[in-house]
Amino acid sequence: MKYFYVSVFSFFLFSCASIPSSTVTLTKEVIKEADNMHQLNVSLVNRLFDERKEKINLFIENKYTPTLLKKFEGLLPDSLDYKKELPNILNSIVPIINHKKDSLQSILDSQRQDILNQLNSNYSDYSKATTSLQNLINSAVKVKTTESDALSAINQLTGDKINIKKVENTINQSIDKTGNALNKLITIEKVISEK
């Protein structure tokens, strides 16, 4: 999911001729929403595992313990006085029950921690990527604003004597032609070096 957001914003960043200043606010809001979603995911994982622990407790109380008691009851001789021996019987059964419960809950705690670690790791990667993206957008907007300010200042100084847009287009076309020429040279160089 983090790569999706980064890809979308990168697409907008590099495909647009200019980046509106509102993009800065939009990306901040998206990042804030992602922070909220991460906290929600952590809360949901904790709630899910708390519910599972409760189910383990209910299983131990309602099924495991009665079954274990019946098993022990079948192993005791008929001559045994249950009322007198009940504390001793419970002392031998309770550790078995507690061990089983602790074992099951320990597995759940381990699974919970693994999932939370993965969530936090993914979020950390996402956070680093979005911070970099936010910095890029801020820089691009700053450049665009500075460019607009410079063009306005030039227009104020020169009036209608110089067509700034035409000069800008000519410079951009020259840069594009230079880039195309360099690509052709690189292609020719590759062909020559292969032979």
Side-chain angles (χ1 to χ4, degrees), residues 1-10 30 34 118-130 133:
M1 191 57 128
K2 64 184 173 189
Y3 298 113
F4 171 74
Y5 288 125
V6 172
S7 298
V8 168
F9 282 117
S10 297
V30 169
Q118 187 61 48
L119 266 176
N120 289 330
S121 174
N122 289 345
Y123 178 72
S124 176
D125 292 343
Y126 168 80
S127 183
K128 288 175 189 172
T130 55
L133 179 63

Side-chain angles (χ1 to χ4, degrees), residues 5-124:
Y5 288 125
V6 172
S7 298
V8 168
F9 282 117
S10 297
F11 172 76
F12 285 128
L13 178 66
F14 296 116
S15 68
C16 298
S18 66
I19 298 174
S21 58
S22 61
T23 305
V24 173
T25 306
L26 176 63
T27 56
K28 285 180 182 176
E29 288 301 315
V30 169
I31 291 169
K32 183 179 172 184
E33 185 62 28
D35 293 344
N36 292 338
M37 290 304 296
H38 175 67
Q39 292 305 316
L40 179 62
N41 285 336
V42 168
S43 295
L44 288 173
V45 166
N46 283 327
R47 184 171 180 188
L48 173 71
F49 279 93
D50 288 343
E51 287 174 3
R52 286 184 176 178
K53 274 189 163 187
E54 184 59 32
K55 285 182 181 180
I56 286 175
N57 289 337
L58 290 173
F59 166 76
I60 295 292
E61 286 177 24
N62 298 330
K63 294 192 178 187
Y64 183 75
T65 301
T67 303
L68 189 64
L69 288 174
K70 281 187 180 183
K71 181 180 173 184
F72 268 96
E73 187 179 321
L75 296 174
L76 297 174
D78 294 335
S79 62
L80 186 67
D81 182 8
Y82 290 106
K83 288 184 181 181
K84 181 181 171 189
E85 293 298 323
L86 185 62
N88 292 333
I89 294 170
L90 290 177
N91 283 338
S92 64
I93 294 175
V94 168
I96 295 170
I97 294 170
N98 286 338
H99 176 71
K100 186 66 171 180
K101 183 169 102 176
D102 292 343
S103 171
L104 292 172
Q105 289 188 349
S106 175
I107 292 169
L108 278 181
D109 287 338
S110 175
Q111 290 174 346
R112 177 196 316 232
Q113 197 55 53
D114 288 346
I115 291 171
L116 289 175
N117 288 343
Q118 187 61 48
L119 266 176
N120 289 330
S121 174
N122 289 345
Y123 178 72
S124 176

